[in-house]
Amino acid sequence: MEIFKLFNALPGAISQGLIWGLMAIGVYITYRILDVSDLTVDGSIATGGAVAAMLIISGWNVWAALLAAFVVGMLCGLVTGVFHTFCGIPAILSGILTQLALYSVNLRILGGKANVALSVNKYDLLVSSRNARTLSLENPILVLTLFAICLIAVLYWFFGTELGCSLRATGANRAMARAQGINTDKNIVLSLMLANGIVALAGGLLAQFQGFADVSMGRGAIVIGLAAVIIGEVVFSKIFTNFGFKLLAVCIGAIMYYIVIQIVLWMGLNTNDLKLLTALVVAVFLATPHWRAKFFARRHKEKGGAGRA
Amino acid sequence: MLKINHIAKTFNRGLITEKTALVDVDLQLNPGDFATVIGGNGAGKSTMLNAVAGVFSVDKGSIVIDGIDVTHLPEFKRAKYLGRVFQDPMTGTAATMNIEENMALAMRRGERRGLRWGISNMEREMYREQLHTLGLGLEDRMASKVGLLSGGQRQALTLLMAALRTPKLLLLDEHTAALDPKTAAKVLELSDRIIREQKLTALMITHNMQDAIDLGNRLIMMHEGRIVVDVAGEDKKKLTRADLLNLFERAAGQQLNSDKLLLS
């Protein structure tokens, strides 16, 4: 009987995973493509949620509200980008500054309240957790899957263009990029804008899905995003080499993350301990390549030393 | 083709780590000049090259490339006129991108990068032919990530990329120093061939005195932030190691004691 509880919760977990998968694609752009850890996302996802919620409440069309969330998210990325390139502040610190500033901004957007309800009864929402177990066109899993496919397709195209290639080169090797005439500062700002736009878009979807926008809904977002990126890579790196599939892997990684979370909760983990667990798991995954390199490096050295002796 | 007018550069001015790298460098390269640059550690060779490339701005003087004053242009804008190969084979290419993608990036050096597709099929054919001339079999691995190539292969590719769009000036910064002797000789021969075939103007830093004597039509020796020896034409052809050491002693007023220079 207990197992049904888990099955019952799975559609919701998968939908949530899909939303965070979109968000994680934003993290992938900064963390993997640009090679910068951007902490702005903790703030910009809440900004996206707040903007979308307030606009929908004030009568905007859902799509227009999502577009607005995307644009405002890009502005968040612009601020971090300017801190980093124009002001010369280290990337990680720039993100923290923007994130902190956004807390106040988000409170302003939400009209001074810590959270604002966005009921599916009153507004015509795109996704809602209420429809997670229904078999209809409004099922969030269906809607979000289509959303993810479209986003991945657009990004696949974009990163194949001349501009997209120059963004990838900027992330891969700044010195090389500049030697090839690429304005790396501009590209860093552009990538941060794109990434945070996507993150804010995910925030707009998340607010609709959970039925409210909350000023602290982004707490630890970067860690969840990283978890999705890393899980996706660990599971699929051998199979998926194409860029589009790598983005898909990130999405699936987020879904797997939420399924695992659902399972450990079902097994009796206290909800309050979730963030601790997440942080530990991500820490271990992040440490693994370092440990592996250390271990292999030592063995390599031993071998090399013997050869030279 | 290149005019360096009395440039000077001091790093970390006012700090305890203050270091004057260039005191007063004045140099003019004519079109087609292939100048080799030697000098001990800290003589200012790389600083001079990086000043031309725009890695940092100079404190004094000006830099003119083919009549265009680039003194105040940022590095990425000067790239339009320059082909560069670095000492570290990892620096010149993007490891996580394909061979063909790297070449496509180089092909668009100095151009606006828009939303057109990053690489066309026509280009691919051209890259294949170009890679074939290297004789390294890279033409059959165009979809491989550059990170999988050896240091020598990467350096050869960087060289090809630097000359893909004929640069007004080719800057080679000890580009064979990190390679094993056999590979270094190959890359050096390739550099010489590309420079002669495309009639490029080039500035090549080397630690190897013999290479500096054998290659190019001009030899420049630097010491403590200045150019102290500049040999060209017939004199350069007849130049020997002993001549070079003599010239240096006379110009710098001291015995040449850089082990690295003497040993190589």
Side-chain angles (χ1 to χ4, degrees), chain A residues 160 162-163 168 173 178 180, chain B residues 93 101 108 113 116 118:
Chain A
E162 292 175 343
L163 180 63
R168 282 157 60 208
N173 185 343
R178 278 191 295 269
Q180 302 306 339
Chain B
T93 41
E101 286 173 331
R108 286 160 181 74
R113 288 163 210 263
R116 275 168 302 173

Side-chain angles (χ1 to χ4, degrees), chain B residues 134-136 150-153 155-156 175-191 208 211:
Chain B
L134 294 180
L136 296 171
S150 71
Q153 288 171 329
Q155 218 53 337
H175 66 305
T176 60
L179 307 175
D180 65 81
K182 213 174 133 196
T183 316
K186 238 182 172 170
V187 170
L188 208 59
E189 187 211 310
L190 180 69
S191 317
N208 188 317
D211 289 343

Side-chain angles (χ1 to χ4, degrees), chain A residues 156-158 160-166 168-169 172-173 175-184 186 241 246, chain B residues 75-76 79 82 84 86 90-94 96-97 101-102 105-106 108-110 112-118 161:
Chain A
Y156 181 82
W157 164 77
F158 177 72
T161 63
E162 292 175 343
L163 180 63
C165 283
S166 79
R168 282 157 60 208
N173 185 343
M176 177 268 190
R178 278 191 295 269
Q180 302 306 339
I182 294 168
N183 186 345
T184 47
K186 187 196 85 185
T241 48
K246 281 183 180 173
Chain B
E75 186 180 1
F76 76 91
L82 303 171
R84 287 164 72 192
F86 308 86
M90 305 299 141
T91 313
T93 41
T96 53
M97 297 175 79
E101 286 173 331
N102 271 276
L105 285 168
R108 286 160 181 74
R109 184 159 48 77
R112 220 183 73 82
R113 288 163 210 263
L115 294 178
R116 275 168 302 173
W117 200 241
M161 284 163 55

